[in-house]
Amino acid sequence: MQRKRWIGKSGSSETPTNRDTRRSFLKLSAAALTAPLVPWARDSGAVEWITAPQPIFPPSPPTRPWMEELPTAIVPVARVDALNPAPTVDANVLGGEIGRAPHQRFDELITKLGAPELYELRAVENPEWITHPDLPKQKVWAYRGGNPDATVPATLFAHYGTPVLCRIRNELPQDHVGFGSPEISTHLHNLHSPSESDGFPGDFYSINKAGLTLDKTGPRQGKGSFNDHFYPNIYAGYDQLQNGIGDFREALGTLFYHDHTLDFTAPNVYRGLVGFYLLFDHLDSGNEHDPNPEALRLPSHPYDYPLAFGDRRFTPLPEGQLFFDEFHVEGVLGDKIVVNGKIEPVLRVARRKYRLRLLNSGTSRFYEFYLVDSRDSPQRFTYIANDGNLLPAPLRDQTRVRLGVAERGDIVVDFSQYAIGTELYLTNRLRQDSTRGPRGVKAPGTRVMKLIVDRDPPEPDVSQVPDQLRPLPDLPTPEELARLPVRRFEFNRKNGLWKIDGQVVDVEKPRVVVKQGEAQVWELVSEAGGWYHPIHIHFEEGRILSKTVDEVEVPIPPHERGRKDVFVLEQTMSIKILLHFRDFKGKYVMHCHNVIHEDHAMMLRWDIEDDESA
């Protein structure tokens, strides 16, 4: 089983043979709930023990607002002309690749769609990152592309109908001491991708370690320094429609990728292993000047701006280092909010429309964002996409966006209505003082980012938000829905561990097997405990059919009536979702995206198999 890293008082790392299983780690984590001694795990790796029934997390040092500026435009990761060694359909284990499964349908898809665009990302440690000038330099982990001018987080631009082959190298320090573990398995959330490129949690790797679900029969026993991810960039429904591309109504736009290493997703993401993958097509083309009459002509780069929000906590000064307690099953709620890696930054904008892609990239905190003026009066904007999916029609004159962990919301703000010199603020009004979940909205909230309107654009703004965006696929009739299989999953906490249907995760065995091409209704249920669970189902988007609270059906909010990949269970709630399983096979997971819960171990494996084997 996977070796766990245990941190001692001296800051050294050891691997006790009698603690060499995942079960031992989970038992220790559960015991921490009632133990009188709890760890304060500093980034240095040292542990101090505090006598208390619960962990004591001192507040972060105070920081002055608006001390750092974000770049006025992002710089995406550049493509590369070639990869060395050249990519192969089967894993190139002799060349240093991990023991992954062969790329599904590779030759078929590139024959129809053309050769893939090539990218290379490196997971690296940066010990010099400035999160805020009032804090010492931080040791963070990040994905980096080949071009040094690429902005943080690393962002890729891709297009439907053009495959991508992305090589992801693990260059993290293998002698790392402190929270987190220097293996990676990168999940592109929620691309319609073959399972060997999905970033399955058990497929983690480094030059020293191979994940439980990798092929370990080769000369390197599954270990390696890189993994080649094949992203076909086809719509779901490729086989069903037989049109060479799939159903354009199934398109995604705002995707993100993050580490998904088994048991260490939360600390590794907390350290910074997050990036954006923006996917365009003939409708959402990424070109507001597009002459195609079908193009929506939404605000485009450099006025298309992704923003990743994550909560963090820091130790007291003079140390002032990033803090995380990975042993505690309730996690750590940060009291500082980073935006693209910076605390309380400033973004200067032109007097025109912007598309802001908001991502909750954190571990436990929820947000309800308001754009306000200097008097905290809410400003209006247009809500166009949820979880990366364009809505059928824009929601105009909105004032708030609520985001559970891993949810996304795209909004269009028209800054032309403001005079040059106007200062606006993105404010979080959702109160939350524990990792259980939010407890209500209260104004004025916390300002997390300042926007300054400081210039006129160099050319007229031709972007628009039309009244129709992307149509939705037709739902089955009530009679057809009644004939679909229904699976029920209960998310709960027992014996100090997070479980699905009373079981912890086993990535080596599927709990659910579905037939390729079929549709099912999955019911997600939380019956007690007061915890919020943002549930993520890999591979395909789902449609919410119903929501009930205390067995009473409640309306589905307008922004959730499209396609989604994160479904927030609020305390005593049940959500029924329509899912399809098309085009690819293999292993995937469903889990709570409060990634503390995932690591401790609210996740299950489910597989897609051929009709005859399912």
Side-chain angles (χ1 to χ4, degrees):
M1 299 294 284
Q2 181 186 359
R3 178 173 61 85
K4 294 296 171 184
R5 186 173 297 275
W6 300 81
I7 309 302
K9 172 74 173 180
S10 65
S12 63
S13 176
E14 60 176 344
T15 313
T17 56
N18 64 340
R19 296 177 177 176
D20 200 31
T21 67
R22 186 174 184 285
R23 181 172 298 176
S24 297
F25 177 77
L26 291 171
K27 285 182 178 178
L28 175 67
S29 301
L33 287 174
T34 57
L37 297 178
V38 294
W40 169 271
R42 288 189 170 87
D43 192 35
S44 64
V47 169
E48 294 182 6
W49 295 91
I50 302 170
T51 302
Q54 293 289 322
I56 297 174
F57 301 148
S60 298
T63 53
R64 294 168 292 169
W66 330 131
M67 298 296 293
E68 287 221 90
E69 296 197 7
L70 299 178
T72 56
I74 67 162
V75 177
V77 173
R79 297 196 298 269
V80 298
D81 296 328
L83 293 169
N84 185 23
T88 53
V89 174
D90 294 311
N92 184 3
V93 293
L94 293 178
E97 190 171 9
I98 65 170
R100 61 163 172 82
H103 292 310
Q104 292 182 54
R105 310 182 71 167
F106 184 87
D107 292 336
E108 170 199 350
L109 290 168
I110 66 170
T111 298
K112 290 184 177 180
L113 302 173
E117 295 179 338
L118 302 178
Y119 288 88
E120 187 165 36
L121 292 171
R122 298 174 299 117
V124 300
E125 181 174 272
N126 178 4
E128 302 292 319
W129 180 254
I130 298 175
T131 306
H132 192 281
D134 289 341
L135 296 174
K137 293 178 180 179
Q138 303 294 318
K139 182 169 67 177
V140 300
W141 291 353
Y143 294 101
R144 291 286 182 267
N147 50 322
D149 59 338
T151 45
V152 175
T155 301
L156 278 68
F157 287 178
H159 296 81
Y160 276 105
T162 303
V164 162
L165 194 292
C166 184
R167 176 164 294 172
I168 303 181
R169 293 189 176 275
N170 184 355
E171 298 181 1
L172 297 174
Q174 294 301 294
D175 60 350
H176 164 72
V177 174
F179 65 83
S181 193
E183 296 80 43
I184 62 171
S185 180
T186 304
H187 170 53
L188 180 45
H189 176 133
N190 194 43
L191 189 72
H192 187 64
S193 66
S195 65
E196 65 278 0
S197 297
D198 185 60
F200 187 77
D203 286 353
F204 57 85
Y205 62 94
S206 69
I207 58 173
N208 295 325
K209 188 183 297 186
L212 308 179
T213 50
L214 291 176
D215 180 1
K216 301 182 181 181
T217 60
R220 296 184 55 82
Q221 297 295 299
K223 304 169 188 175
S225 61
F226 70 90
N227 185 19
D228 283 349
H229 292 246
F230 175 49
Y231 301 138
N233 293 334
I234 59 172
Y235 305 111
Y238 179 88
D239 288 337
Q240 180 182 2
L241 294 186
Q242 293 292 305
N243 62 357
I245 185 65
D247 189 344
F248 80 96
R249 298 173 298 177
E250 302 273 3
L252 290 155
T254 305
L255 295 89
F256 74 108
Y257 57 93
H258 63 85
D259 182 57
H260 216 313
T261 295
L262 180 67
D263 304 332
F264 289 95
T265 297
N268 286 6
V269 167
Y270 192 87
R271 279 195 175 275
L273 289 178
V274 174
F276 280 99
Y277 187 96
L278 307 186
L279 194 49
F280 301 99
D281 72 350
H282 66 289
L283 283 184
D284 189 6
S285 66
N287 178 10
E288 62 191 51
H289 298 277
D290 196 330
N292 180 356
E294 293 187 276
L296 298 174
R297 292 173 50 198
L298 297 168
S300 60
H301 187 262
Y303 308 108
D304 179 354
Y305 209 106
L307 296 166
F309 302 86
D311 57 304
R312 302 289 189 270
R313 188 174 288 264
F314 299 84
T315 59
L317 294 173
E319 187 180 49
Q321 292 299 303
L322 194 63
F323 160 74
F324 193 81
D325 179 2
E326 63 189 12
F327 289 101
H328 195 266
V329 296
E330 295 189 10
V332 174
L333 190 70
D335 57 1
K336 295 290 184 181
I337 309 302
V338 298
V339 186
N340 291 1
K342 301 290 187 178
I343 297 173
E344 298 170 321
V346 175
L347 176 63
R348 297 181 180 272
V349 297
R351 296 183 65 246
R352 54 149 293 153
K353 291 189 288 298
Y354 275 70
R355 177 180 186 170
L356 303 178
R357 304 182 189 239
L358 313 180
L359 160 68
N360 183 347
S361 67
T363 55
S364 299
R365 183 177 286 279
F366 288 58
Y367 301 99
E368 186 161 302
F369 289 121
Y370 291 74
L371 183 68
V372 302
D373 62 16
S374 58
R375 296 175 296 179
D376 289 315
S377 298
Q379 307 297 292
R380 298 190 178 273
F381 51 78
T382 302
Y383 195 146
I384 64 170
N386 179 263
D387 282 4
N389 304 276
L390 284 175
L391 298 169
L395 302 175
R396 302 190 189 275
D397 295 322
Q398 303 297 298
T399 58
R400 60 190 176 94
V401 177
R402 181 178 285 221
L403 298 177
V405 182
E407 285 191 297
R408 285 90 72 211
D410 291 19
I411 64 174
V412 173
V413 182
D414 188 355
F415 293 106
S416 68
Q417 62 186 305
Y418 302 104
I420 290 178
T422 301
E423 296 182 351
L424 303 169
Y425 301 90
L426 198 64
T427 300
N428 175 37
R429 292 187 175 180
L430 194 59
R431 295 183 298 166
Q432 185 172 347
D433 50 22
S434 80
T435 57
R436 286 181 176 269
R439 61 181 185 90
V441 175
K442 184 176 181 180
T446 301
R447 293 176 174 180
V448 301
M449 177 179 171
K450 177 190 281 191
L451 301 101
I452 301 176
V453 183
D454 75 339
R455 64 194 185 278
D456 286 313
E459 59 182 20
D461 179 7
V462 299
S463 68
Q464 62 180 15
V465 182
D467 290 336
Q468 302 298 319
L469 296 174
R470 190 179 300 278
L472 288 170
D474 296 330
L475 285 171
T477 65
E479 293 76 19
E480 291 169 332
L481 278 173
R483 290 194 293 268
L484 294 180
V486 179
R487 296 182 185 269
R488 184 181 188 275
F489 303 94
E490 183 176 341
F491 296 80
N492 50 31
R493 178 176 171 179
K494 291 185 178 179
N495 301 323
L497 294 177
W498 302 104
K499 300 181 179 182
I500 304 176
D501 295 333
Q503 300 180 52
V504 297
V505 65
D506 182 348
V507 294
E508 297 179 276
K509 296 178 182 178
R511 298 248 300 272
V512 174
V513 176
V514 299
K515 298 177 181 179
Q516 185 181 8
E518 77 171 329
Q520 295 187 359
V521 174
W522 286 15
E523 183 179 12
L524 315 179
V525 179
S526 176
E527 293 188 337
W531 291 85
Y532 281 57
H533 299 297
I535 306 303
H536 174 42
I537 304 169
H538 285 213
F539 184 58
E540 281 213 32
E541 306 299 280
R543 295 277 296 278
I544 297 178
L545 300 175
S546 67
K547 276 188 175 186
T548 61
V549 176
D550 295 327
E551 300 183 353
V552 176
E553 188 162 346
V554 297
I556 301 170
H559 70 282
E560 292 188 342
R561 294 176 188 171
R563 297 157 55 252
K564 284 182 62 62
D565 55 55
V566 176
F567 307 93
V568 178
L569 284 173
E570 301 178 2
Q571 302 181 19
T572 55
M573 179 179 282
S574 170
I575 304 176
K576 287 186 177 179
I577 301 157
L578 174 66
L579 293 166
H580 291 83
F581 309 96
R582 296 165 289 183
D583 308 319
F584 298 107
K585 298 176 291 186
K587 58 188 189 297
Y588 297 91
V589 290
M590 173 172 65
H591 62 89
C592 181
H593 225 296
N594 179 334
V595 281
I596 301 297
H597 299 179
E598 174 196 322
D599 286 346
H600 288 275
M602 187 175 267
M603 179 164 62
L604 63 77
R605 170 178 166 174
W606 59 273
D607 287 9
I608 304 175
E609 296 184 357
D610 289 327
D611 285 358
E612 59 270 18
S613 59

